[in-house]
Amino acid sequence: MTAPVSIAQTQHPAGLSSGMTFLMAAACGLIAANLYYTQPLAGPIALDIGLPAEATGLIVTLTQIGYGIGLLLLVPLGDLLENRRLIVTMIGLVTLALIAAGLSTTPGPFLTASLAIGLGAVAVQMIVPFAANLAPDAARGRVVGNVTSGLMVGIMMARPISGLIAGLSSWHAVFYVSAVVMVGLGSLLWVQLPTRRPAAWMTYGQLIKSMGKLLATQPVLQRRAAYQACQFAAFSLFWTVTPLYLAGPRFGLGHNGIALFALAGVAGAIASPIAGRLADKGLIRPATAFGLVGVGAAFLMTQVATEGSTTALTLLTLAAILLDFGVTMTLVTGQRSIYELGAELRSRLNGLFMAIFFTGGAIGSALGAWAFASGGWWLASMIGLALPATAFAIFLTEKIDQERALKH
């Protein structure tokens, strides 16, 4: 077995260059977008491939299930295998799955391809800890923040882009265009990324088994995952419900108007580099508090004006920006915190953190759909407010736990 190399062979002497950081951020956005392209197209795709209307949700759900499985079973491999080869291999899997989805004309092949797209897209969560490992300690938060900004932009831009491409051509073209982009991206990353072989000596079984111990013994991971699960649940609730709310009789917006509203939320991605810099300055706790309070305030803002008014629409748009800002703020500070638990653990820690974070999002989407159907925007927004409020209540006990630990 080749001796492990813990420092990237082509790493810039002072850490990651700005060009390399930008490349990794762009890669995160482009790969993550594959998880969300089908969301606005699920109806037309189901009709075209002959999927029953009651099973349309499987188009999105199977992609998300694949991603969740990958977070737990594939992302930890970053602590065991050479990182560049692993990332490019996963991009190869995404590419094949995208082509298969585009070629599909019946439900079985398409749904299988959807699952594989989710599995391969976990390359995103291999890139973020890879960047953290390459970054010097003093700039780790900034690097993680910059790379995460690409991820958030990709998530927010995917829906309007897929709608635009499908409108100009067909839903098949969305998958083909993304496959071409993935081929170019994989080739570029293979040439540009440094090699990094972790100094880990264990079997795959031992690697996966160790994750349970990490979750049970690392209070920082437990707390940060709990905060972000609540935050992402609120985020998912908001973005599940607002298109329905805006298309309803109160606002009556069409497809283009809702797409423009979604684009406004991208502005919240500027929180990533800000959060990273605050973390590097030792301000993780106040940055976290701001992120949690910001998400709660975003939901409260939407209750100020009369529904359907111009003022209400303006406040809802500002709320979208503030909510995305707050969620991104706690995501970056959370990752910065867990990465400090050990360089040799970062991929496993990130897999656990993101799996819990992702589960919160799935719960938030389900809650949002139920709440809006049961009690309209008021009930949905009150549940949205309760989620960051719960995280903030847990956050307030953080200092108490730290003081107790010091006493012992």
Side-chain angles (χ1 to χ4, degrees), residues 101-175:
L103 292 172
S104 296
T105 56
T106 55
F110 185 87
L111 294 176
T112 301
S114 296
L115 184 72
I117 288 171
L119 280 169
V122 296
V124 169
Q125 299 307 332
M126 297 171 178
I127 293 173
V128 178
F130 185 20
N133 281 320
L134 296 178
D137 291 345
R140 184 163 295 120
R142 175 177 58 82
V143 168
V144 170
N146 289 339
V147 172
T148 302
S149 67
L151 168 64
M152 297 304 294
V153 170
I155 290 173
M156 297 303 297
M157 292 293 290
R159 299 175 185 88
I161 287 175
S162 66
L164 175 64
I165 295 174
L168 293 173
S169 180
S170 71
W171 64 263
H172 299 272
V174 175
F175 295 101

Side-chain angles (χ1 to χ4, degrees), residues 9-26:
Q9 295 169 356
T10 58
Q11 185 181 349
H12 190 279
L16 280 176
S17 67
S18 57
M20 182 63 73
T21 303
F22 177 80
L23 174 60
M24 297 176 93

Side-chain angles (χ1 to χ4, degrees), residues 4-224:
V5 178
S6 59
I7 300 176
Q9 295 169 356
T10 58
Q11 185 181 349
H12 190 279
L16 280 176
S17 67
S18 57
M20 182 63 73
T21 303
F22 177 80
L23 174 60
M24 297 176 93
C28 282
L30 291 169
I31 298 168
N34 291 309
L35 295 167
Y36 298 93
Y37 285 142
T38 58
Q39 288 192 354
L41 305 176
I45 291 173
L47 184 64
D48 203 25
I49 65 175
L51 186 67
E54 60 271 19
T56 299
L58 287 175
I59 291 174
V60 175
T61 302
L62 280 173
T63 304
Q64 305 295 337
I65 289 173
Y67 190 68
I69 293 170
L71 287 172
L72 291 174
L73 300 182
L74 298 179
V75 169
L77 288 170
D79 288 337
L80 192 62
L81 304 178
E82 198 280 303
N83 287 187
R84 180 184 66 168
R85 184 179 297 276
L86 179 61
I87 290 166
V88 174
T89 298
M90 299 311 296
I91 293 174
L93 172 59
V94 169
T95 304
L96 293 174
L98 288 166
I99 294 171
L103 292 172
S104 296
T105 56
T106 55
F110 185 87
L111 294 176
T112 301
S114 296
L115 184 72
I117 288 171
L119 280 169
V122 296
V124 169
Q125 299 307 332
M126 297 171 178
I127 293 173
V128 178
F130 185 20
N133 281 320
L134 296 178
D137 291 345
R140 184 163 295 120
R142 175 177 58 82
V143 168
V144 170
N146 289 339
V147 172
T148 302
S149 67
L151 168 64
M152 297 304 294
V153 170
I155 290 173
M156 297 303 297
M157 292 293 290
R159 299 175 185 88
I161 287 175
S162 66
L164 175 64
I165 295 174
L168 293 173
S169 180
S170 71
W171 64 263
H172 299 272
V174 175
F175 295 101
Y176 296 144
V177 169
S178 185
V180 171
V181 171
M182 289 299 104
V183 170
L185 177 64
S187 302
L188 185 60
L189 291 178
W190 181 255
V191 172
Q192 295 295 326
L193 285 182
T195 56
R196 178 185 177 273
R197 185 177 298 279
W201 295 90
M202 64 178 76
T203 65
Y204 177 70
Q206 291 171 328
L207 183 81
I208 298 302
K209 186 177 179 180
S210 69
M211 294 174 68
K213 184 176 180 181
L214 284 174
L215 184 59
T217 60
Q218 298 293 341
V220 172
L221 172 62
Q222 295 165 3
R223 282 184 170 278
R224 286 288 159 179

